[in-house]
Amino acid sequence: MLPLPRLRSILRAGVLPALALASLAGCRKEAAADGKWTVGFSQMGHDNPWRMAQTASLRDEARKRGYEIVVTDAQDQTAKQVADVEDLIARGVDVILLAPREFEGLAPALQAARDANIPVILVDREAEGKPGEDYVTFLGSNFVDQGRRAAEWLVKETGGTAGIVELTGTPGSSVALDRAKGFREVIAQHPGMKILASQTGEFSRATGQRVMQNIAQSLGNQITAVYAHNDEMALGAIQALRASGRNPGTDVKMVSIDGQRAALEAIQRGELGATVESNPRFGPIAFETIEQVRKGETIPPKKLITDRFFDRANAAQFVAEAY
């Protein structure tokens, strides 16, 4: 383990390799090996089942492993999330788990943690910066691949011809950008797959329903498919399509991402065609990574989670264990 004065000189020089980041964490307390650490978790919001399941998983794992955890709620505001991270630093937490609201805009938070010698681990969304310098690592899914898998299913279900409405996530977030990128990579290979409208539903069921209602009124029967960046927006879109006289699941093919219980139930009812899992249960991988930080181990810049795929063939099998 590097001595703390040496680590501080590294910080001042602006060079912070992953091993140094891990080592400085171990120096924050003399009892690094045996003492109880306090983990700060900056959650971007608690307004949907996915976020609540993620926070619950982290709390459960902290309790199992004997950690204290302090959770903040940015209420879907980037400025508040920066302030939340600063508050966690002021509380003297030993490590910060950060679920970024958007890719850009969190540089002040990362810099504040770096100045305080507190390692930051990004969970579920990426932020602008360099792993090993601005933060330790990113834990999450391959969002581009999620978009690809959704598109591949939709191409197959529609025979390669569809008028698509895309409901996108938080503008500027890595997850929304990547899920859109992966989807477009696949449908670009099929000239009959046309995106008629792409509009943010903010990852919200209510917003997704409202946006879908407006688009349905404008485009009517031209819409034959919907791709939603999360299940909540897809569930809202289903309600809006029904209200407009359409039949989601039959004349409008539906695909989304997340794998929450309500989505699997919608698949069983025949309304939603498929959903790509984006697992919110980050507790085990997050605390395994924190343990690596404490031990001074080398940590890769990304640790990706393997996600499943749910459709009519297996939704009933997994609905009971879904969040």
Side-chain angles (χ1 to χ4, degrees), residues 78-323:
T78 301
K80 186 176 186 308
Q81 187 160 45
V82 172
D84 286 347
V85 171
E86 292 171 346
D87 180 60
L88 290 171
I89 293 167
R91 293 187 187 206
V93 301
D94 297 286
V95 61
I96 293 173
L97 300 172
L98 173 63
R101 181 184 179 274
E102 58 184 288
F103 184 76
E104 298 178 346
L106 289 168
L110 293 172
Q111 185 62 51
R114 184 172 174 173
D115 291 344
N117 295 353
I118 299 174
V120 175
I121 298 168
L122 303 184
V123 293
D124 88 70
R125 292 187 183 185
E126 297 186 77
E128 189 174 30
K130 187 175 180 180
E133 294 184 13
D134 300 295
Y135 56 88
V136 177
T137 186
F138 163 72
L139 313 178
S141 297
N142 185 329
F143 302 130
V144 175
D145 187 60
Q146 290 175 345
R148 291 191 192 110
R149 294 171 78 184
E152 287 165 357
W153 179 90
L154 196 58
V155 168
K156 183 177 178 181
E157 285 294 307
T158 61
T161 301
I164 307 164
V165 171
E166 179 186 32
L167 298 176
T168 66
T170 308
S173 66
S174 65
V175 60
L177 294 170
D178 286 353
R179 286 176 180 172
K181 178 183 178 182
F183 186 79
R184 282 164 171 74
E185 284 180 3
V186 172
I187 67 167
Q189 303 169 32
H190 301 274
M193 305 292 287
K194 305 289 187 184
I195 296 179
L196 304 177
S198 180
Q199 190 169 334
T200 182
E202 297 284 357
F203 284 130
S204 160
R205 188 182 304 200
T207 305
Q209 180 176 353
R210 183 170 64 252
V211 169
M212 190 71 240
Q213 182 176 354
N214 293 337
I215 295 174
Q217 289 175 351
S218 173
L219 297 178
N221 291 339
Q222 296 179 61
I223 302 168
T224 60
V226 172
Y227 165 49
H229 285 196
N230 80 338
D231 291 340
E232 283 292 290
M233 293 188 294
L235 294 168
I238 286 170
Q239 294 174 325
L241 287 167
R242 272 199 198 139
S244 69
R246 306 301 302 281
N247 294 309
T250 53
D251 57 335
V252 181
K253 301 296 183 182
M254 310 277 299
V255 64
S256 62
I257 299 172
D258 271 356
Q260 70 182 67
R261 181 174 298 177
L264 269 61
E265 291 170 344
I267 291 174
Q268 290 180 286
R269 292 192 301 269
E271 297 168 335
L272 181 64
T275 180
V276 183
E277 182 182 41
S278 192
N279 195 333
R281 297 185 173 106
F282 276 81
I285 191 173
F287 281 88
E288 286 167 10
T289 305
I290 289 170
E291 293 290 344
Q292 288 183 289
V293 170
R294 294 187 72 170
K295 294 173 183 176
E297 296 178 0
T298 300
I299 301 171
K302 284 188 179 183
K303 295 172 110 179
L304 296 179
I305 295 170
T306 301
D307 294 316
R308 296 170 293 183
F309 188 89
F310 304 117
D311 59 12
R312 290 183 294 273
N314 65 355
Q317 179 184 349
F318 293 106
V319 67
E321 67 183 58
Y323 63 93

Side-chain angles (χ1 to χ4, degrees), residues 47-60:
D47 58 350
N48 65 61
W50 197 96
R51 291 283 153 197
M52 290 185 282
Q54 182 187 47
T55 299
S57 176
L58 290 168
R59 287 189 189 276
D60 289 347

